[in-house]
Amino acid sequence: MTQVDFYVLLPLIILVTWACALLLVDLFIPKERKWLTALLAALGLALTLGFSLSQLGLENTGFKEMVVVDGFSVFVNALLLLSGLLSVALAYGYLKRMGIERGEYYTLMLFSISGMMLMAQAADLIIVFLALELLSLPLYVLSAFARPRADSEESGLKYFLLGAFSSGFVLYGIALVYGATAATSLTGIVAAASNGPLTGSGNTLLLTIGAALILVGLGFKVAAVPFHMWTPDVYQGAPTAVTAFMAAGAKIAGFAALLRVFATAFPSIAADMTPVLQAISALTMIVGNLIAISQTDIKRMLAYSSIAHAGYILMAFVPYGNPEVAPVSVAAGLFYLVAYALTSFGAWSVVIAVEQKEGKGLAISDYAGLGRKYPALAAAMTIFMLSLTGFPPTLGLVGKFYLFRAVIAGGFIPLAIIGMVTSLVSAYYYLRVVVTMYMQDGEPETEREFWLGLTTAGTALVIVIVSLVPQGLFTWASEAVLRLF
Amino acid sequence: MVPQTYYIALSAVLFTLGALGVLVRRNALIIFMSVELMLNAANLAFVAFANTYQHLNGQIIVFFVIAVAAAEVAVGLALIVAIFKTRQSIDVDTMSSLKG
């Protein structure tokens, strides 16, 4: 082990050390001063974000090519840490209000984020597996965090059983890939698949099955149809602050791993994988958007909306084997991930503001009258709903524009058409929330809390401002993926 | 000497049994055991492939997997115990408070 090894993983090491220290420090923080734990967690995340950004422009591998740092990992890590900071802001007031203010919450979140970061930096399939578990195990606990509330426990158990099931698929996929190529490192797999002594029809078949199993496992994590059944239940039952974190963080990490593994290790089987990815993406968009229409609970509606958005992001993967289109399309996917993460945090922050104790205030009808009584909050929610649909002037529109453009350039015109039609369908249920807020009468109750309000206002502003000048972010995303191909 | 393909076939059978168990059984504990069966099927495949290629990699991976599975047991059993305390049952069919 050399210094370089540690420097490659420096942000991650800092975050894990901070999380371990926080676990101890939290013991000595009295119950009425738990804001200190939240503050310390946010400090740790900000510190890690600083170190992560200091790696900008660095290209290196560490620990015998097991982990890697490059533009892509820095981009994803920065996005993950930003999501972490937003999650702390959302959780702080929410936990207190719901009477589940325990210090472990923040520690578990830091561990989960470190797993997500490792996922973005993994250059070996076994690290992908370890990172997947490191990000998932704390999330299982967080989903059940509001125990003994029955729905929260139920959501935790469902997430745990299906999450463990899916990691079984990932692991067996890795085993088959190892059997086919005698390697688990991404570069080793490419080498064996392209010119090694192991190229034979049997091994190619084994490699394809292995890759498909990995796709199934990670498909569970990012909630792609037909592996999405757990999503609405888990999102609904988990404490809303956890749901917000899960909806953004777990998705970003899952897509980051999917992207790196497929783009780096499996270009040789792109001809077999592209139709599968295309079908999954189309199904995810259609099913997610159609079922969302009939939802009356805002958390379930946003859960189906997150499934639908997984479909849009998956579109970016479809041309991954075509070296001319892939960089642009993957950059568009990364851009869309940023747009989705910000918008979803904004939307969840409004849900948290309206939610009351004992699960009240979660029906869409509870938003009636919000436009008259709390105009600022309703305006922010309108921006988020428009961004999720893809209306101007929001980040959602810009993201979809880049995405559809890349997919059309790759020659997948039917997929782009499905994307556009399902976006139109989605307008129905997103705008229904807006209509309820402004056109129906009601006496909604909301919570006013500084950090929550700051998150809502901040994400709304960023969504509008960046949509007017998106070029800088897109250029960064394009530079980030350059070295992947 | 047992041929390598036998090991791989056995691991595939074990994996399928595990996956079927998750889909068919209704007791959370047994579903969890089926998941463990899937992980161990993968372990068997790793060891068999490592033996074919005369690598140590595959065998080391198994250690990682065992450690991860132990961590998963800790979290999973804690969740199952917590649920049992609340509702005196770990049948996943009775867990239907979430739907829409």
Side-chain angles (χ1 to χ4, degrees):
Chain A
M1 273 183 270
T2 60
Q3 265 179 329
V4 177
D5 289 341
F6 288 103
Y7 191 60
V8 167
L9 274 188
L10 186 63
L12 192 70
I13 293 171
I14 292 174
L15 190 63
V16 172
T17 318
W18 193 283
C20 293
L22 188 64
L23 193 60
L24 283 179
V25 170
D26 177 60
L27 278 179
F28 302 101
I29 296 178
K31 220 171 163 48
E32 62 279 4
R33 267 192 282 170
K34 284 299 178 199
W35 57 269
L36 208 54
T37 317
L39 183 69
L40 284 174
L43 263 181
L45 287 168
L47 187 74
T48 317
L49 183 61
F51 275 98
S52 189
L53 288 177
S54 80
Q55 289 183 324
L56 210 63
L58 197 69
E59 305 260 350
N60 220 333
T61 58
F63 294 100
K64 306 222 184 261
E65 298 201 354
M66 286 228 152
V67 288
V68 53
V69 58
D70 54 11
F72 178 73
S73 80
V74 174
F75 187 95
V76 175
N77 280 356
L79 182 58
L80 285 169
L81 289 163
L82 184 70
S83 315
L85 282 170
L86 290 173
S87 311
V88 173
L90 290 188
Y92 169 64
Y94 179 81
L95 295 183
K96 200 152 66 175
R97 187 143 56 84
M98 296 294 156
I100 48 173
E101 196 180 29
R102 304 178 200 127
E104 297 83 20
Y105 184 92
Y106 301 105
T107 319
L108 286 168
M109 223 179 74
L110 294 195
F111 279 126
S112 186
I113 293 173
S114 56
M116 294 168 185
M117 287 170 65
L118 188 58
M119 201 104 155
Q121 292 194 274
D124 192 294
L125 287 180
I126 200 64
I127 300 289
V128 171
F129 176 71
L130 289 179
L132 184 71
E133 291 295 316
L134 181 54
L135 96 84
S136 307
L137 289 177
L139 273 184
Y140 304 147
V141 182
L142 284 176
S143 306
F145 203 74
R147 69 175 287 262
R149 233 180 59 201
D151 56 346
S152 172
E153 281 184 343
E154 188 178 318
S155 122
L157 188 73
K158 278 184 179 165
Y159 194 24
F160 168 73
L161 289 176
L162 284 167
F165 186 50
S166 72
S167 49
F169 277 96
V170 173
L171 189 67
Y172 203 72
I174 295 173
L176 293 187
V177 170
Y178 174 65
T181 61
T184 49
S185 79
L186 300 186
T187 45
I189 292 168
V190 180
S194 56
N195 53 17
L198 301 157
T199 40
S201 60
N203 278 329
T204 310
L205 181 67
L206 210 55
L207 182 67
T208 312
I209 298 175
L213 285 177
I214 293 176
L215 179 64
V216 170
L218 291 175
F220 263 106
K221 274 286 159 236
V222 299
V225 175
F227 319 113
H228 67 290
M229 300 81 70
W230 58 275
T231 318
D233 285 2
V234 172
Y235 279 25
Q236 188 190 7
T240 313
V242 179
T243 314
F245 175 53
M246 216 158 30
K251 229 173 230 150
I252 297 168
F255 276 118
L258 211 56
L259 197 55
R260 192 188 286 283
V261 170
F262 274 76
T264 324
F266 299 142
S268 61
I269 49 170
D272 290 325
M273 279 310 182
T274 298
V276 179
L277 284 168
Q278 200 178 353
I280 294 181
S281 161
L283 263 181
T284 309
M285 288 187 283
I286 295 169
V287 172
N289 279 317
L290 283 185
I291 304 186
I293 290 176
S294 62
Q295 300 305 318
T296 53
D297 182 293
I298 188 96
K299 280 173 97 173
R300 277 190 97 82
M301 189 205 92
L302 285 175
Y304 280 108
S305 130
S306 92
I307 295 173
H309 281 88
Y312 293 119
I313 301 167
L314 265 176
M315 271 169 89
F317 289 75
V318 175
Y320 87 96
N322 178 347
E324 272 163 32
V325 192
V328 184
S329 115
V330 168
L334 273 191
F335 187 95
Y336 200 85
L337 264 181
V338 178
Y340 168 72
L342 283 175
T343 314
S344 104
F345 265 112
W348 286 111
S349 77
V350 177
V351 174
I352 288 179
V354 179
E355 181 177 354
Q356 304 294 320
K357 271 199 161 184
E358 267 121 41
K360 289 195 184 64
L362 285 176
I364 294 178
S365 52
D366 290 326
Y367 285 70
L370 206 67
R372 191 177 38 77
K373 208 168 163 194
Y374 303 98
L377 196 65
M381 188 62 163
T382 310
I383 291 176
F384 302 136
M385 290 296 127
L386 290 182
S387 180
L388 286 172
T389 323
F391 266 112
T394 58
L395 211 47
L397 170 81
V398 186
K400 275 191 180 137
F401 170 71
Y402 284 138
L403 210 54
F404 291 157
R405 195 181 59 176
V407 173
I408 290 172
F412 297 96
I413 294 167
L415 196 61
I417 293 174
I418 293 178
M420 285 176 202
V421 172
T422 50
S423 299
L424 280 181
V425 171
S426 75
Y428 174 75
Y429 62 88
Y430 289 131
L431 292 185
R432 198 179 55 195
V433 178
V434 179
V435 168
T436 312
M437 283 191 306
Y438 285 104
M439 313 266 181
Q440 291 179 15
D441 282 330
E443 283 299 315
E445 291 289 319
T446 65
E447 290 299 323
R448 285 167 172 262
E449 197 245 316
F450 176 69
W451 292 108
L452 188 61
L454 192 68
T455 314
T456 316
T459 44
L461 267 182
V462 170
I463 286 168
V464 174
I465 291 172
V466 178
S467 79
L468 300 176
V469 277
Q471 205 54 48
L473 183 61
F474 189 69
T475 312
W476 187 19
S478 310
E479 281 164 7
V481 298
L482 224 50
R483 286 292 303 244
L484 272 183
F485 298 96
Chain B
M1 178 74 185
V2 185
Q4 178 226 1
T5 28
Y6 287 19
Y7 289 107
I8 305 303
L10 176 63
S11 93
V13 168
L14 285 178
F15 184 80
T16 316
L17 280 180
L20 272 181
V22 173
L23 298 174
V24 171
R25 301 303 294 260
R26 299 282 51 122
N27 183 311
L29 212 52
I30 294 188
I31 293 179
F32 186 36
M33 284 157 68
S34 306
V35 168
E36 294 293 310
L37 193 60
M38 290 167 69
L39 294 184
N40 283 315
N43 281 347
L44 182 62
F46 271 120
V47 174
F49 285 130
N51 192 39
T52 320
Y53 297 131
Q54 293 294 309
H55 272 181
L56 272 181
N57 293 18
Q59 315 221 7
I60 300 296
I61 290 172
V62 172
F63 281 108
F64 278 102
V65 177
I66 292 174
V68 165
E72 228 170 44
V73 169
V75 170
L77 287 187
L79 274 174
I80 292 174
V81 168
I83 289 217
F84 185 77
K85 274 189 186 160
T86 315
R87 55 171 81 208
Q88 309 296 325
S89 151
I90 49 170
D91 189 330
V92 288
D93 276 343
T94 62
M95 291 175 203
S96 50
S97 64
L98 302 167
K99 63 171 123 177

